[in-house]
Amino acid sequence: MIDVTQLKDKVIVITGASRGIGQAIAHTLKDKGVRLVLGARTIAEQSEFQEDTILHVSLDVSDEESVMRFKEVALARFGKVDVLINAAGVGSFSSILDSETKDFDDMISINLRGTYLTCKHFGRTMKSQQDGQILNLVSIAGTMALPGNGGYSASKYGVYGFTKVLQSELRREGIRITSVIPGAINSSFWDNVDMELDKSNMISLRSITEHILFLLCQPKHAVVDEITIMPPNGIL
Ligand code: NAP
């Protein structure tokens, strides 16, 4: 287990924190002296778990006003942002010819536009701080062509390319940015996917969380541009 005591008092913002990877990271970091700002569409703003160190905010990353409010609420409560983890995302899988245009639009607006919006607005804050760290959840589908991944791949190739540009623009502003590129992870992401899947071979939530904590605990002079994490048997 990574020693996260060095993250004490950091303000860590996580999108997609109601389920899956975002929620797993939040669970691991709570009660560790970290201040968390957790956003998702279905998160309860006045959660019974509301504590001084955890802020739950209703967030739709594809909506710029919602992203701007998310940032304002975070800054009003904690006064700074040390880390942004972009874990909000959706996936629909079918051949391009059989795909629904709405599913394509949703993946582009949530995965790509959503990551753009959070990076832009939180990036501005981090630039003024001359300090910050951004982790973008890409996917192996953002670096290789997988049948049935048309719209998802388009969104994730977009996130991957966009993240590389952001790295080049913000590297000298004290902001470290990493593309996290996993194969399949055993999360709720697959709950509504109509495919025969052996989830036991997927990366566990615990394992992906450990990798992300490792990135958060790296010294500032060591910048990890990207990290690829695969299940033992390959992509799925
Ligand atoms: P998940 O279990 O389905 O969770 C997705 C999270 O994103 C949920 O908290 C969901 O909450 C949130 N979300 C969806 N649309 C949103 C929106 N418009 N605004 C704000 N939040 C939104 O998926 P996951 O496995 O944690 O995946 C997290 C990220 O990793 C995604 O970008 C995914 O593409 C990527 N990834 C996943 C895998 C995998 O195999 N699981 C592999 C590679 C990469 P609400 O519905 O409450 O908004």
Side-chain angles (χ1 to χ4, degrees):
M1 191 64 171
I2 307 282
D3 175 15
V4 294
T5 51
Q6 60 185 292
L7 299 176
K8 189 173 179 304
D9 295 330
K10 296 267 186 205
V11 178
I12 299 183
V13 173
I14 307 175
T15 74
S18 62
R19 289 180 278 117
I21 300 165
Q23 185 187 53
I25 300 165
H27 276 173
T28 308
L29 288 176
K30 80 179 171 71
D31 306 325
K32 304 279 191 322
V34 176
R35 288 168 284 176
L36 293 170
V37 184
L38 308 178
R41 293 168 303 183
T42 61
I43 220 156
E45 290 235 359
Q46 291 305 322
S47 160
E48 59 187 291
F49 300 113
Q50 198 91 12
E51 300 156 25
D52 280 352
T53 55
I54 305 182
L55 187 58
H56 296 82
V57 184
S58 172
L59 167 72
D60 180 350
V61 291
S62 66
D63 175 348
E64 188 157 20
E65 282 192 8
S66 178
V67 171
M68 289 167 72
R69 176 178 172 272
F70 185 52
K71 183 179 98 164
E72 279 159 19
V73 170
L75 286 175
R77 172 69 83 92
F78 296 125
K80 63 168 184 168
V81 174
D82 296 299
V83 177
L84 167 66
I85 302 175
N86 276 309
V90 292
S92 304
F93 303 93
S94 68
S95 73
I96 292 170
L97 301 193
D98 291 332
S99 62
E100 299 289 341
T101 307
K102 182 184 182 312
D103 291 338
F104 180 87
D105 289 344
D106 281 350
M107 288 185 279
I108 297 298
S109 70
I110 295 172
N111 300 352
L112 180 53
R113 185 172 196 269
T115 305
Y116 157 78
L117 289 173
T118 56
C119 284
K120 179 167 86 168
H121 289 289
F122 283 94
R124 287 176 178 169
T125 300
M126 290 178 183
K127 183 175 176 183
S128 70
Q129 295 172 171
Q130 289 288 292
D131 190 34
Q133 185 173 14
I134 299 174
L135 304 188
N136 285 343
L137 264 297
V138 188
S139 164
I140 199 66
T143 64
M144 61 192 290
L146 303 169
N149 280 247
Y152 188 65
S153 248
S155 71
K156 293 297 187 175
Y157 265 85
V159 172
Y160 186 44
F162 164 80
T163 303
K164 282 176 176 281
V165 174
L166 200 64
Q167 286 164 339
S168 70
E169 292 177 350
L170 294 182
R171 203 181 287 284
R172 288 182 174 74
E173 306 289 346
I175 305 172
R176 295 174 291 152
I177 304 171
T178 306
S179 286
V180 179
I181 307 171
I185 297 156
N186 187 354
S187 77
S188 52
F189 184 82
W190 300 103
D191 286 356
N192 298 318
V193 173
D194 188 17
M195 281 160 71
E196 288 277 312
L197 295 167
D198 181 0
K199 283 185 154 188
S200 68
N201 281 325
M202 293 182 178
I203 301 162
S204 67
L205 280 173
R206 184 193 166 105
S207 179
I208 189 76
T209 299
E210 285 272 313
H211 282 89
I212 284 168
L213 296 183
F214 168 81
L215 292 169
L216 297 185
C217 293
Q218 289 307 295
K220 285 188 180 171
H221 62 269
V223 180
V224 182
D225 280 355
E226 61 183 67
I227 178 170
T228 300
I229 308 148
M230 294 292 271
N233 294 349
I235 295 151
L236 275 174

